Amino acid sequence: MKRFLLLFIICFLVHSCARVGSPVGGPKDTLAPRFLSSNIDTTRINVKRDIRELRLDFDEYVTLKDINKNLIISPPIKGITRILPSNIANRFVLIQWTDTLQANTTYNFNFGNSIVDNNESNVLRYFNFAFSTGDKLDDLYISGEVKDALDTKKKAAASAENKLVVGLYQVKDTMDYKKKPYYITKVDEDGYYELNYLTPGKYKIIAFEDENGNSMYDPGKEKVGFQKDPINVEKSISGLNLKVYPSKKPVKYVEMKEIAGGVLMTFEGNPEDVKVQSLNEKLKDVKITHNPKSDSVRIWFDAVKDDVGQTANEKLIFTHNKGPKKDSAYSVSLFYKYNKKNAMDVFSDNGGSSLAPKSDLKIASNYIVDKIDPSKWTLNIKGDSLNVLPFNAKISETNPYQIQIQSDFIPGKSYELTVPKETVSSFFTKNTQSKRFDFDVAKVDQFGSVEFSISNAPTANYWIQLVDSSDKIAYQKYLKGDKVKFDILQPGEYIVRILVDNNGNKYWDEADFANDIFAEDAYIFYKKVIVRALWETREDWDLKDTRTLDSPKSPTAAPASTSVPAPSSTSTTQLPAESATTKQLLKKEFKSGNAVLTPAK
């Protein structure tokens, strides 16, 4: 028994000694890499112009994250040939180039958030490195905030990339805006920017959404904001804030293609007027339609009657006047073949089978509607074909493809409208089939309304728009005044914006940077409007209220909206310098200890 007990104790001790325990680690590394030194003298002045590389040493292994998107060099250095590390972590960052540097110039390498440690991916935020080929390091700066004037979305997540940049062009006799700005910097996720190490002088400032990452503004493709007057940088500037707007596209011919009824000619930009002429022997009788500011021109003709493209592709030639030289005719062509499936047709244009109360029934065509013969149409309550109801029908004044039918529609009832063939006409054809449209009229208690009282309302006409969750315009009105009411609205949340028609051309004009033309005025209500069934919502909106969408309420906030049961019958801004300076100091705290910087002003 004693032997058995002794053997058990020995086995237990051996087993205990053989167990492998998990090592207890220290605290997780949360520190960003620390900059140690560079190949450039610590004074960073009088750097030789023929230097061909910059090397930065760190206290741990680092990698570069999205370096091509993050690294901005101001002024630009041409001929970048190598950037390390690429795939393997290293204790240094190396940039090599072939360009000869400019004399008496301060260069700033802004790495953004691209430098991270290899183990925990801790980011070295807002890292800059500057040096000068002259006898001093320029230390002027411009800082501020950039906002999207028409942003109808909530603030993006912190991880989302902000593509906005701010740049400075040197004011010269000839300024080429097709090149990169002389100075450029990224806008951070909070909308804040800093242009550092600036040389005194006059500059043109621009903010734009650098969608393709080429550090150059692309008109018509990227949003833009700017100041008309040059900035005289003699001392540092804080609180220079900008708003970006959609930009105007240069007018440019794109293509032609066959469509129902003829040919479609498309352009980039929004031409005010396009003159088109047929150079085809067969096509003498053509009709050209183009709405001012539309990018599409339609050329209508009777392909069957004129025997065009009936059996094989046939080359058609047209001229237009939208090219680089004014008052010149530019010839374009296509190979056209008639498509029998593209016959004229009519279809419902109500966005669903139910019609909102007090609304017109809308039907549309794939051809422009030239004439209608509603005397042959019939409107009945469903199931009562003997009782023909009175109605009025007309071609829409704003949409020539649409027909509006007005009648005393009763909520809760179901109707049917019959449109016989050949009662809707275009220029050279008529609808080939008879159509019946079945629809219900919704009850009033399924809808709500909203009324706005607008302080500091525009003196010009304006559009007020309700934008739904899919970023589409659900409702809009074009009017003038300080009172606006929307009746019969689908319940839901809407973003509200105002676009002002400052020049009265019934088109909201975008920004034109090359010609120093600002976008027309625009405003977004600082909160979403909630529409509830059988409720009237009232909102007070002061257009001088600078709060942004979904911003926190402040002590000076406008009164909250009120909702009551509906009756049963139913450009550049300048903020105080202290604000921007405070944020600038906070940003510089992140940078301190990583690179030698000028003191915060």
Side-chain angles (χ1 to χ4, degrees):
M1 183 67 180
K2 290 181 179 180
R3 289 181 179 180
F4 178 78
L5 181 60
L6 180 61
L7 182 60
F8 176 80
I9 293 173
I10 292 172
C11 291
F12 177 81
L13 291 174
V14 170
H15 177 72
S16 299
C17 293
R19 284 190 303 172
V20 178
S22 299
V24 179
K28 182 180 179 181
D29 177 17
T30 58
L31 298 177
R34 186 165 61 91
F35 169 73
L36 297 178
S37 61
S38 77
N39 63 316
I40 293 176
D41 187 86
T42 54
T43 61
R44 303 191 190 179
I45 60 174
N46 295 316
V47 175
K48 293 181 179 180
R49 295 179 59 198
D50 60 356
I51 192 172
R52 293 291 188 267
E53 69 178 31
L54 171 66
R55 173 177 169 138
L56 306 172
D57 294 307
F58 295 90
D59 65 342
E60 60 179 311
Y61 283 91
V62 298
T63 59
L64 295 176
K65 181 180 179 182
D66 296 328
I67 186 64
N68 292 328
K69 293 181 179 179
N70 279 284
L71 177 62
I72 294 180
I73 304 173
S74 296
I77 295 179
K78 298 178 182 177
I80 301 292
T81 58
R82 193 182 188 192
I83 300 178
L84 295 177
S86 54
N87 297 322
I88 302 174
N90 218 322
R91 282 183 174 268
F92 63 85
V93 171
L94 179 67
I95 301 175
Q96 295 178 328
W97 59 85
T98 59
D99 195 17
T100 299
L101 303 181
Q102 301 176 46
N104 300 312
T105 301
T106 296
Y107 285 89
N108 179 28
F109 289 70
N110 185 341
F111 289 87
N113 294 327
S114 62
I115 301 176
V116 299
D117 69 36
N118 187 50
N119 294 324
E120 301 294 342
S121 296
N122 295 314
V123 179
L124 179 56
R125 296 184 181 277
Y126 314 118
F127 183 77
N128 285 259
F129 187 91
F131 62 82
S132 175
T133 56
D135 57 6
K136 68 173 183 177
L137 195 67
D138 293 316
D139 60 356
L140 298 178
Y141 67 84
I142 297 175
S143 66
E145 294 185 345
V146 180
K147 295 179 180 178
D148 187 336
L150 290 180
D151 187 9
T152 58
K153 299 176 182 177
K154 291 184 178 180
K155 183 178 178 181
S159 59
E161 181 185 2
N162 190 342
K163 295 184 179 181
L164 289 170
V165 298
V166 179
L168 296 178
Y169 289 96
Q170 291 178 309
V171 175
K172 299 179 179 179
D173 293 336
T174 57
M175 299 173 65
D176 190 354
Y177 294 129
K178 295 181 180 179
K179 293 183 178 180
K180 294 181 180 180
Y182 191 75
Y183 294 107
I184 190 169
T185 188
K186 280 183 170 288
V187 179
D188 73 11
E189 64 272 12
D190 297 319
Y192 177 78
Y193 76 91
E194 279 184 10
L195 288 156
N196 291 309
Y197 306 106
L198 305 181
T199 301
K202 288 187 176 182
Y203 300 94
K204 179 83 170 181
I205 191 168
I206 179 176
F208 60 95
E209 196 168 26
D210 192 18
E211 287 287 345
N212 55 14
N214 65 355
S215 298
M216 293 186 292
Y217 166 58
D218 295 310
K221 298 178 182 178
E222 297 172 340
K223 296 178 181 178
V224 66
F226 56 92
Q227 284 191 339
K228 287 186 178 181
D229 297 327
I231 301 170
N232 191 6
V233 181
E234 295 178 340
K235 60 180 181 179
S236 295
I237 301 172
S238 298
L240 200 164
N241 303 327
L242 298 164
K243 289 184 178 180
V244 295
Y245 294 82
S247 60
K248 182 179 180 180
K249 289 183 179 180
V251 176
K252 178 183 176 183
Y253 169 79
V254 178
E255 66 173 352
M256 279 198 304
K257 63 180 181 180
E258 183 268 338
I259 59 166
V263 171
L264 176 69
M265 183 182 291
T266 57
F267 295 83
E268 279 189 357
N270 303 99
E272 183 69 35
D273 181 45
V274 182
K275 294 179 180 178
V276 176
Q277 186 175 359
S278 171
L279 298 183
N280 306 283
E281 193 65 33
K282 289 184 178 181
L283 294 181
K284 296 297 184 182
D285 188 12
V286 298
K287 181 73 173 178
I288 312 297
T289 59
H290 172 253
N291 292 327
K293 299 290 186 178
S294 170
D295 61 1
S296 302
V297 178
R298 286 172 170 79
I299 305 168
W300 306 90
F301 52 84
D302 192 336
V304 175
K305 178 182 176 182
D306 295 335
D307 190 26
V308 176
Q310 295 299 301
T311 57
N313 289 336
E314 190 164 348
K315 187 176 181 179
L316 300 180
I317 304 174
F318 301 90
T319 63
H320 68 84
N321 66 330
K322 292 302 170 187
K325 295 181 181 180
K326 294 183 178 180
D327 301 323
S328 298
Y330 299 88
S331 177
V332 291
S333 63
L334 83 159
F335 287 94
Y336 173 87
K337 190 169 190 308
Y338 176 69
N339 186 350
K340 295 181 180 180
K341 294 181 179 179
N342 283 340
M344 186 177 184
D345 193 15
V346 288
F347 46 85
S348 175
D349 198 24
N350 287 299
S353 59
S354 292
L355 185 66
K358 301 181 181 179
S359 298
D360 296 339
L361 175 66
K362 298 173 184 177
I363 62 175
S365 173
N366 56 339
Y367 282 59
I368 276 185
V369 180
D370 184 37
K371 296 177 182 178
I372 57 176
D373 186 6
S375 63
K376 298 178 181 179
W377 303 0
T378 56
L379 176 67
N380 308 89
I381 293 179
K382 211 165 193 178
D384 187 5
S385 58
L386 297 178
N387 186 15
V388 178
L389 302 176
F391 66 92
N392 293 315
K394 65 177 183 178
I395 302 169
S396 170
E397 296 177 359
T398 57
N399 181 1
Y401 292 84
Q402 187 184 85
I403 303 168
Q404 298 171 337
I405 295 94
Q406 301 172 330
S407 185
D408 293 328
F409 298 117
I410 301 172
K413 293 289 185 179
S414 297
Y415 293 84
E416 56 186 33
L417 173 73
T418 302
V419 179
K421 66 178 182 179
E422 298 188 347
T423 58
V424 180
S425 302
S426 187
F427 304 116
F428 303 104
T429 188
K430 297 181 179 182
N431 62 312
T432 58
Q433 294 182 343
S434 178
K435 284 290 186 72
R436 193 183 79 182
F437 300 94
D438 297 329
F439 61 98
D440 302 323
V441 180
K443 295 181 179 180
V444 176
D445 58 11
Q446 299 175 16
F447 299 85
S449 66
V450 61
E451 182 176 359
F452 294 94
S453 295
I454 301 174
S455 301
N456 299 296
T459 56
N461 286 325
Y462 60 90
W463 294 267
I464 181 167
Q465 301 172 333
L466 304 187
V467 181
D468 63 20
S469 58
S470 62
D471 209 26
K472 293 181 180 179
I473 300 171
Y475 305 93
Q476 73 171 351
K477 290 188 176 185
Y478 180 77
L479 73 164
K480 182 189 291 187
D482 58 3
K483 297 286 185 183
V484 184
K485 185 172 183 180
F486 288 90
D487 283 317
I488 316 297
L489 300 179
Q490 287 282 358
E493 288 188 351
Y494 296 94
I495 293 168
V496 189
R497 69 185 178 200
I498 284 176
L499 303 178
V500 185
D501 189 12
N502 295 99
N503 59 15
N505 66 351
K506 294 189 176 181
Y507 178 86
W508 188 81
D509 291 291
E510 304 93 342
D512 186 352
F513 175 63
N515 294 307
D516 273 340
I517 299 174
F518 288 142
E520 295 189 283
D521 296 335
Y523 306 89
I524 293 183
F525 196 33
Y526 75 93
K527 63 179 179 179
K528 290 185 177 181
V529 171
I530 300 175
V531 175
R532 296 182 176 89
L534 266 182
W535 284 72
E536 289 183 353
T537 301
R538 300 190 183 101
E539 297 284 0
D540 294 323
W541 186 2
D542 187 348
L543 297 190
K544 290 186 176 181
D545 189 339
T546 59
R547 282 175 291 173
T548 56
L549 185 64
D550 293 326
S551 62
K553 294 182 180 179
S554 62
T556 57
S561 63
T562 58
S563 295
V564 296
S568 57
S569 61
T570 315
S571 47
T572 304
T573 58
Q574 193 82 15
L575 293 183
E578 292 78 8
S579 172
T581 302
T582 300
K583 191 162 190 179
Q584 177 193 352
L585 287 169
L586 292 173
K587 296 287 183 184
K588 287 186 180 292
E589 285 183 8
F590 281 105
K591 301 177 185 178
S592 61
N594 299 318
V596 178
L597 295 169
T598 56
K601 304 298 184 287

mmCIF file of all heavy atoms in Angstrom, residues 261-284:
data_model
loop_
_atom_site.group_PDB
_atom_site.id
_atom_site.type_symbol
_atom_site.label_atom_id
_atom_site.label_comp_id
_atom_site.label_asym_id
_atom_site.label_seq_id
_atom_site.Cartn_x
_atom_site.Cartn_y
_atom_site.Cartn_z
ATOM 1 N N GLY A 261 -37.418 56.170 -82.699
ATOM 2 C CA GLY A 261 -37.836 57.370 -83.419
ATOM 3 C C GLY A 261 -36.735 58.103 -84.135
ATOM 4 O O GLY A 261 -37.001 59.094 -84.819
ATOM 5 N N GLY A 262 -35.468 57.664 -83.988
ATOM 6 C CA GLY A 262 -34.408 58.382 -84.676
ATOM 7 C C GLY A 262 -33.039 58.137 -84.078
ATOM 8 O O GLY A 262 -32.638 56.989 -83.843
ATOM 9 N N VAL A 263 -32.335 59.246 -83.774
ATOM 10 C CA VAL A 263 -30.949 59.188 -83.321
ATOM 11 C C VAL A 263 -30.786 60.086 -82.099
ATOM 12 O O VAL A 263 -31.381 61.162 -82.025
ATOM 13 C CB VAL A 263 -29.988 59.635 -84.451
ATOM 14 C CG1 VAL A 263 -28.567 59.797 -83.928
ATOM 15 C CG2 VAL A 263 -30.016 58.636 -85.592
ATOM 16 N N LEU A 264 -29.964 59.623 -81.152
ATOM 17 C CA LEU A 264 -29.650 60.410 -79.962
ATOM 18 C C LEU A 264 -28.198 60.867 -80.049
ATOM 19 O O LEU A 264 -27.286 60.060 -80.214
ATOM 20 C CB LEU A 264 -29.851 59.584 -78.697
ATOM 21 C CG LEU A 264 -29.468 60.266 -77.374
ATOM 22 C CD1 LEU A 264 -30.436 61.407 -77.067
ATOM 23 C CD2 LEU A 264 -29.466 59.257 -76.228
ATOM 24 N N MET A 265 -27.968 62.180 -79.918
ATOM 25 C CA MET A 265 -26.633 62.762 -79.893
ATOM 26 C C MET A 265 -26.374 63.265 -78.480
ATOM 27 O O MET A 265 -27.175 64.035 -77.942
ATOM 28 C CB MET A 265 -26.543 63.917 -80.902
ATOM 29 C CG MET A 265 -25.170 64.565 -81.018
ATOM 30 S SD MET A 265 -25.170 65.962 -82.189
ATOM 31 C CE MET A 265 -25.403 65.102 -83.742
ATOM 32 N N THR A 266 -25.276 62.812 -77.860
ATOM 33 C CA THR A 266 -25.014 63.177 -76.462
ATOM 34 C C THR A 266 -23.726 63.996 -76.350
ATOM 35 O O THR A 266 -22.789 63.835 -77.136
ATOM 36 C CB THR A 266 -24.906 61.931 -75.561
ATOM 37 O OG1 THR A 266 -23.885 61.062 -76.060
ATOM 38 C CG2 THR A 266 -26.223 61.194 -75.511
ATOM 39 N N PHE A 267 -23.711 64.858 -75.302
ATOM 40 C CA PHE A 267 -22.585 65.734 -75.025
ATOM 41 C C PHE A 267 -22.224 65.645 -73.549
ATOM 42 O O PHE A 267 -23.065 65.321 -72.707
ATOM 43 C CB PHE A 267 -22.937 67.197 -75.351
ATOM 44 C CG PHE A 267 -23.186 67.463 -76.802
ATOM 45 C CD1 PHE A 267 -24.426 67.199 -77.373
ATOM 46 C CD2 PHE A 267 -22.188 67.983 -77.601
ATOM 47 C CE1 PHE A 267 -24.660 67.442 -78.709
ATOM 48 C CE2 PHE A 267 -22.420 68.230 -78.943
ATOM 49 C CZ PHE A 267 -23.649 67.965 -79.503
ATOM 50 N N GLU A 268 -20.976 65.914 -73.237
ATOM 51 C CA GLU A 268 -20.600 66.216 -71.863
ATOM 52 C C GLU A 268 -20.947 67.670 -71.610
ATOM 53 O O GLU A 268 -20.939 68.488 -72.520
ATOM 54 C CB GLU A 268 -19.106 65.990 -71.634
ATOM 55 C CG GLU A 268 -18.723 64.548 -71.391
ATOM 56 C CD GLU A 268 -17.276 64.410 -70.955
ATOM 57 O OE1 GLU A 268 -16.568 65.437 -70.908
ATOM 58 O OE2 GLU A 268 -16.846 63.287 -70.686
ATOM 59 N N GLY A 269 -21.196 67.989 -70.349
ATOM 60 C CA GLY A 269 -21.554 69.363 -70.046
ATOM 61 C C GLY A 269 -23.018 69.612 -70.324
ATOM 62 O O GLY A 269 -23.789 68.708 -70.644
ATOM 63 N N ASN A 270 -23.418 70.846 -70.232
ATOM 64 C CA ASN A 270 -24.824 71.214 -70.401
ATOM 65 C C ASN A 270 -24.941 72.369 -71.392
ATOM 66 O O ASN A 270 -25.058 73.529 -71.002
ATOM 67 C CB ASN A 270 -25.431 71.598 -69.043
ATOM 68 C CG ASN A 270 -25.307 70.480 -68.033
ATOM 69 O OD1 ASN A 270 -24.410 70.474 -67.198
ATOM 70 N ND2 ASN A 270 -26.201 69.516 -68.106
ATOM 71 N N PRO A 271 -24.904 72.048 -72.687
ATOM 72 C CA PRO A 271 -24.954 73.119 -73.692
ATOM 73 C C PRO A 271 -26.271 73.881 -73.656
ATOM 74 O O PRO A 271 -27.348 73.292 -73.527
ATOM 75 C CB PRO A 271 -24.789 72.362 -75.015
ATOM 76 C CG PRO A 271 -25.183 70.950 -74.718
ATOM 77 C CD PRO A 271 -24.809 70.711 -73.292
ATOM 78 N N GLU A 272 -26.165 75.204 -73.738
ATOM 79 C CA GLU A 272 -27.356 76.055 -73.731
ATOM 80 C C GLU A 272 -28.165 75.861 -75.007
ATOM 81 O O GLU A 272 -29.393 75.795 -74.978
ATOM 82 C CB GLU A 272 -26.925 77.521 -73.593
ATOM 83 C CG GLU A 272 -28.082 78.496 -73.498
ATOM 84 C CD GLU A 272 -28.850 78.377 -72.193
ATOM 85 O OE1 GLU A 272 -28.215 78.093 -71.162
ATOM 86 O OE2 GLU A 272 -30.083 78.555 -72.207
ATOM 87 N N ASP A 273 -27.471 75.759 -76.116
ATOM 88 C CA ASP A 273 -28.158 75.607 -77.397
ATOM 89 C C ASP A 273 -27.254 74.808 -78.337
ATOM 90 O O ASP A 273 -26.044 75.039 -78.381
ATOM 91 C CB ASP A 273 -28.470 76.980 -78.003
ATOM 92 C CG ASP A 273 -29.198 76.870 -79.328
ATOM 93 O OD1 ASP A 273 -30.140 76.067 -79.408
ATOM 94 O OD2 ASP A 273 -28.805 77.559 -80.279
ATOM 95 N N VAL A 274 -27.840 73.856 -79.050
ATOM 96 C CA VAL A 274 -27.080 73.047 -80.007
ATOM 97 C C VAL A 274 -27.789 73.103 -81.364
ATOM 98 O O VAL A 274 -28.983 72.823 -81.453
ATOM 99 C CB VAL A 274 -26.964 71.574 -79.546
ATOM 100 C CG1 VAL A 274 -26.121 70.783 -80.541
ATOM 101 C CG2 VAL A 274 -26.357 71.487 -78.162
ATOM 102 N N LYS A 275 -27.022 73.469 -82.385
ATOM 103 C CA LYS A 275 -27.565 73.488 -83.741
ATOM 104 C C LYS A 275 -27.096 72.239 -84.481
ATOM 105 O O LYS A 275 -25.896 71.990 -84.576
ATOM 106 C CB LYS A 275 -27.102 74.750 -84.475
ATOM 107 C CG LYS A 275 -27.656 76.042 -83.875
ATOM 108 C CD LYS A 275 -27.144 77.260 -84.634
ATOM 109 C CE LYS A 275 -27.701 78.533 -84.008
ATOM 110 N NZ LYS A 275 -27.188 79.754 -84.703
ATOM 111 N N VAL A 276 -28.053 71.468 -84.993
ATOM 112 C CA VAL A 276 -27.750 70.212 -85.681
ATOM 113 C C VAL A 276 -28.371 70.249 -87.078
ATOM 114 O O VAL A 276 -29.499 70.734 -87.258
ATOM 115 C CB VAL A 276 -28.296 69.003 -84.889
ATOM 116 C CG1 VAL A 276 -28.064 67.705 -85.660
ATOM 117 C CG2 VAL A 276 -27.626 68.919 -83.526
ATOM 118 N N GLN A 277 -27.647 69.734 -88.043
ATOM 119 C CA GLN A 277 -28.138 69.703 -89.417
ATOM 120 C C GLN A 277 -27.844 68.343 -90.040
ATOM 121 O O GLN A 277 -26.777 67.759 -89.811
ATOM 122 C CB GLN A 277 -27.479 70.813 -90.243
ATOM 123 C CG GLN A 277 -28.046 70.940 -91.657
ATOM 124 C CD GLN A 277 -27.452 72.127 -92.406
ATOM 125 O OE1 GLN A 277 -26.642 72.860 -91.861
ATOM 126 N NE2 GLN A 277 -27.861 72.305 -93.662
ATOM 127 N N SER A 278 -28.805 67.834 -90.829
ATOM 128 C CA SER A 278 -28.632 66.565 -91.525
ATOM 129 C C SER A 278 -27.919 66.787 -92.858
ATOM 130 O O SER A 278 -28.271 67.695 -93.621
ATOM 131 C CB SER A 278 -29.994 65.903 -91.773
ATOM 132 O OG SER A 278 -29.855 64.784 -92.622
ATOM 133 N N LEU A 279 -26.924 65.939 -93.139
ATOM 134 C CA LEU A 279 -26.210 65.980 -94.418
ATOM 135 C C LEU A 279 -26.551 64.756 -95.266
ATOM 136 O O LEU A 279 -25.788 64.391 -96.161
ATOM 137 C CB LEU A 279 -24.695 66.042 -94.178
ATOM 138 C CG LEU A 279 -24.160 67.256 -93.429
ATOM 139 C CD1 LEU A 279 -22.643 67.207 -93.350
ATOM 140 C CD2 LEU A 279 -24.608 68.561 -94.095
ATOM 141 N N ASN A 280 -27.710 64.154 -95.009
ATOM 142 C CA ASN A 280 -28.094 62.920 -95.682
ATOM 143 C C ASN A 280 -29.146 63.198 -96.761
ATOM 144 O O ASN A 280 -30.122 63.919 -96.509
ATOM 145 C CB ASN A 280 -28.644 61.916 -94.665
ATOM 146 C CG ASN A 280 -27.666 61.691 -93.527
ATOM 147 O OD1 ASN A 280 -26.684 60.997 -93.663
ATOM 148 N ND2 ASN A 280 -27.940 62.319 -92.386
ATOM 149 N N GLU A 281 -28.949 62.623 -97.928
ATOM 150 C CA GLU A 281 -29.850 62.858 -99.042
ATOM 151 C C GLU A 281 -31.261 62.362 -98.732
ATOM 152 O O GLU A 281 -32.255 63.003 -99.110
ATOM 153 C CB GLU A 281 -29.304 62.147 -100.303
ATOM 154 C CG GLU A 281 -29.971 62.566 -101.598
ATOM 155 C CD GLU A 281 -29.711 64.026 -101.941
ATOM 156 O OE1 GLU A 281 -28.613 64.530 -101.606
ATOM 157 O OE2 GLU A 281 -30.610 64.648 -102.521
ATOM 158 N N LYS A 282 -31.361 61.234 -98.038
ATOM 159 C CA LYS A 282 -32.669 60.662 -97.738
ATOM 160 C C LYS A 282 -33.406 61.421 -96.629
ATOM 161 O O LYS A 282 -34.639 61.459 -96.615
ATOM 162 C CB LYS A 282 -32.526 59.199 -97.325
ATOM 163 C CG LYS A 282 -32.141 58.252 -98.454
ATOM 164 C CD LYS A 282 -32.123 56.823 -97.948
ATOM 165 C CE LYS A 282 -31.785 55.830 -99.048
ATOM 166 N NZ LYS A 282 -31.793 54.436 -98.532
ATOM 167 N N LEU A 283 -32.652 61.971 -95.707
ATOM 168 C CA LEU A 283 -33.274 62.589 -94.523
ATOM 169 C C LEU A 283 -33.367 64.101 -94.685
ATOM 170 O O LEU A 283 -32.535 64.860 -94.183
ATOM 171 C CB LEU A 283 -32.482 62.242 -93.265
ATOM 172 C CG LEU A 283 -32.460 60.778 -92.848
ATOM 173 C CD1 LEU A 283 -31.662 60.600 -91.566
ATOM 174 C CD2 LEU A 283 -33.874 60.229 -92.679
ATOM 175 N N LYS A 284 -34.364 64.530 -95.396
ATOM 176 C CA LYS A 284 -34.613 65.960 -95.542
ATOM 177 C C LYS A 284 -35.613 66.455 -94.503
ATOM 178 O O LYS A 284 -35.575 67.610 -94.087
ATOM 179 C CB LYS A 284 -35.128 66.259 -96.954
ATOM 180 C CG LYS A 284 -34.126 65.953 -98.060
ATOM 181 C CD LYS A 284 -32.880 66.821 -97.922
ATOM 182 C CE LYS A 284 -31.926 66.574 -99.074
ATOM 183 N NZ LYS A 284 -30.682 67.372 -98.928
#
